[in-house]
Amino acid sequence: MSPDQGRRGTSGGGGGAPGPVAARRRGLIVFGVGFLVLFAIVAIAEGVGDPSVPSGDVAVIEGVSGDLGEVTQAEFDHALLIAAKQAGEKKAPKPGTAKYDETKENALNFVLEGIWIQGLAEERGVEVSDKEVAKQLKKVKSENFQSDAEFRKFLKESGFNRADVRGRVRIELLSEAIQEELKEEAPSPSQSQVEAYYEAAKATQFTQPPTRDVRLVINKNRNKAKAARQALTRDNSAKNWKKVAKKYSEDPTTKENGGLQEGVQKGILEEPLNEAVFNTPEGRVEGPIEAQRGFTVFEVVNSTPESVQELKAVESQIQSTLKQREEQEFFASFVAEFGIEWSQRTFCAPSALIERCSNYEDSGHPAAAPEACYEANPKGGPPEACPAPVNQLVPALPGTVTPLEPKGKPLAQRPRPKEEEGAEGAQGVEGLPEGTVPPTEGAPPTGE
């Protein structure tokens, strides 16, 4: 029997770590994980202490009702086996090895995420019924497995059991419900924001440039182009254009339709043909003009002036764009808080400490940094590539923050030459107004 059963029903807290599995139906066991990072706690629980982890448990999560907030040793062992199988191992690695530490972290992370999302749903009053879970599970199975026998094979190869799968389905449904709530809570754009966006985007998004319908005869031989011009000067009817284009034109795209090219925007044709086409009145045969594709004879048959869509016509489109941006930023703020706040409520036994545990003590060293970067006297000297001791700020390039790009474009960072030292303010720094002194590395922005 799964460690889930008898303690949490279909909560799914005993799931394994995300990752590829040998079975080809791998999507089922990880489908809900992507949603988890979208959610965060609205209010931090007050009075969070540092409780001891009871004997027989590997972690406790404060503020979660019932026994959902306890991860037992049996549940952890179950998750560890699943994580190992997803990594291609037949059994869990032995403690004390690097492989064990990696597998342990993956397993516990997955267990904690399942508990956290259920705890969040409980606090927000979000519920899903057993009927909804059963319906969704039936849909998942029909989309991923051709028979129950294939599903059973998947369970055997992955280490999951039916209770685990029901738990993951429940967590996904809770995640989706919370996501919908958060979308509703995201602020809507104001009318002034809509108008500002419209003005900023009018020239590029809401203005249709002038176009021309033009007939062309293109030939790399100047004399043949002249002959086409003479024939068209005598008779520039559409019927004669078809005859002349078929005889003289070497352009495969217009040769068979009387040389007609519709909706030509300024700048599309090569120069000097482009300039000539947009400076010639309708109905006049011109050329031959030597251009990239050959000698060209042309006639403008129709002109469409520039048109600008009014705000009323595109207002709903802009509102939708800005609303989506607001939702993304709203979710981002939740993402920034979710892990921190729930980590503060999670305490792990010494044998199960990972970064998501509140009582985990971090060295502060980036995982990818060589250990020699932090040794007093490293053998062979310090490595050439060590991370900076402070977080690097990425300010926006002045003048690039607009309603279209609210975060602007990142200001290119560069070392300051020695000759600039001692002459601060005398010369403008690249990308900054003249006389501007860049902030000290690592200093907070001024807010200007």
Side-chain angles (χ1 to χ4, degrees):
M1 182 173 68
S2 166
D4 268 347
Q5 294 171 308
R7 294 186 73 247
R8 297 178 183 160
T10 56
S11 65
V21 295
R24 65 187 181 91
R25 305 302 181 184
R26 67 193 66 179
L28 178 66
I29 61 177
V30 294
F31 57 81
V33 180
F35 289 100
L36 296 175
V37 295
L38 295 176
F39 312 126
I41 302 305
V42 177
I44 303 176
E46 298 181 358
V48 174
D50 188 357
S52 59
V53 180
S55 176
D57 288 349
V58 296
V60 293
I61 299 89
E62 287 202 330
V64 182
S65 65
D67 58 5
L68 176 61
E70 299 176 9
V71 180
T72 68
Q73 184 67 50
E75 288 174 323
F76 173 72
D77 290 342
H78 179 59
L80 193 68
L81 177 60
I82 293 173
K85 286 195 173 186
Q86 290 181 56
E89 305 291 335
K90 292 183 179 180
K91 59 182 180 179
K94 294 182 179 180
T97 64
K99 188 65 177 178
Y100 175 83
D101 291 338
E102 178 184 351
T103 308
K104 175 189 73 173
E105 184 168 354
N106 288 339
L108 195 53
N109 272 330
F110 202 55
V111 172
L112 292 179
E113 285 173 348
I115 296 173
W116 290 357
I117 203 66
Q118 291 175 89
L120 173 59
E122 185 179 76
E123 292 185 351
R124 296 179 66 91
V126 175
E127 297 179 350
V128 294
S129 66
D130 292 342
K131 185 177 180 180
E132 291 174 302
V133 172
K135 181 180 178 180
Q136 180 65 14
L137 177 56
K138 182 178 180 180
K139 178 182 177 182
V140 170
K141 289 174 65 177
S142 66
E143 291 176 350
N144 291 274
F145 304 98
Q146 296 181 359
S147 65
D148 193 61
E150 188 175 353
F151 178 56
R152 291 196 303 271
K153 181 180 178 182
F154 161 78
L155 295 177
K156 182 178 180 180
E157 292 179 348
S158 66
F160 272 72
N161 57 42
R162 294 179 184 270
D164 297 328
V165 174
R166 284 196 301 272
R168 296 317 302 174
V169 169
R170 183 179 294 277
I171 289 170
E172 183 192 6
L173 292 175
L174 290 172
S175 300
E176 292 176 349
I178 294 172
Q179 185 181 8
E180 290 302 314
E181 282 194 355
L182 294 178
K183 288 176 66 176
E184 294 298 322
E185 294 173 11
S188 298
S190 65
Q191 184 62 28
S192 62
Q193 287 177 304
V194 172
E195 292 172 358
Y197 185 98
Y198 173 76
E199 291 300 325
K202 183 191 294 185
T204 57
Q205 296 184 27
F206 307 123
T207 297
Q208 180 65 39
T211 62
R212 294 201 160 189
D213 297 340
V214 59
R215 293 188 183 276
L216 306 165
V217 170
I218 303 172
N219 198 299
K220 293 182 180 179
N221 185 292
R222 183 191 293 270
N223 291 331
K224 290 183 178 180
K226 285 183 177 180
R229 163 73 184 270
Q230 291 175 355
L232 292 168
T233 300
R234 292 192 297 267
D235 179 9
N236 68 341
S237 65
K239 182 178 180 180
N240 195 44
W241 263 98
K242 288 184 178 181
K243 179 180 177 181
V244 173
K246 190 171 184 178
K247 181 178 181 180
Y248 291 105
S249 184
E250 296 177 336
D251 179 25
T253 60
T254 60
K255 179 181 177 70
E256 299 300 329
N257 67 341
L260 183 62
Q261 190 169 340
E262 297 178 308
V264 178
Q265 294 183 6
K266 192 169 186 178
I268 296 296
L269 298 174
E270 65 271 26
E271 296 293 357
L273 180 60
N274 172 72
E275 193 68 23
V277 165
F278 279 86
N279 284 303
T280 298
E282 296 177 14
R284 193 165 78 188
V285 178
E286 290 288 345
I289 293 177
E290 186 177 5
Q292 181 180 351
R293 292 181 292 170
F295 295 94
T296 305
V297 177
F298 71 90
E299 178 189 0
V300 178
V301 296
N302 184 51
S303 301
T304 302
E306 177 183 273
S307 61
V308 180
Q309 292 178 285
E310 295 183 358
L311 175 59
K312 289 183 179 180
V314 296
E315 191 167 2
S316 61
Q317 175 186 339
I318 295 174
Q319 286 175 339
S320 177
T321 299
L322 293 180
K323 176 64 174 176
Q324 186 177 39
R325 180 190 295 174
E326 293 284 1
E327 289 174 358
Q328 292 172 346
E329 293 178 355
F330 191 70
F331 291 150
S333 68
F334 273 81
V335 170
E337 296 173 2
F338 178 67
I340 295 175
E341 295 178 1
W342 276 93
S343 290
Q344 291 174 346
R345 300 162 66 166
T346 301
F347 302 88
C348 303
S351 62
L353 282 173
I354 62 172
E355 290 187 12
R356 290 191 172 186
C357 304
S358 180
N359 52 331
Y360 174 81
E361 294 184 4
D362 191 359
S363 65
H365 302 166
E371 288 297 326
C373 290
Y374 306 99
E375 295 176 1
N377 297 295
K379 185 178 180 180
E384 293 183 3
C386 286
V390 295
N391 292 328
Q392 301 296 302
L393 298 177
V394 185
L397 185 67
T400 64
V401 177
T402 69
L404 301 182
E405 292 191 67
K407 294 184 179 180
K409 296 179 180 179
L411 176 65
Q413 304 295 296
R414 66 179 180 89
R416 296 181 62 194
K418 288 185 177 180
E419 54 267 24
E420 288 186 5
E421 296 180 3
E424 294 180 348
Q427 299 291 331
V429 178
E430 182 181 357
L432 294 175
E434 185 174 351
T436 302
V437 180
T440 302
E441 187 176 345
T446 60
E448 297 181 357

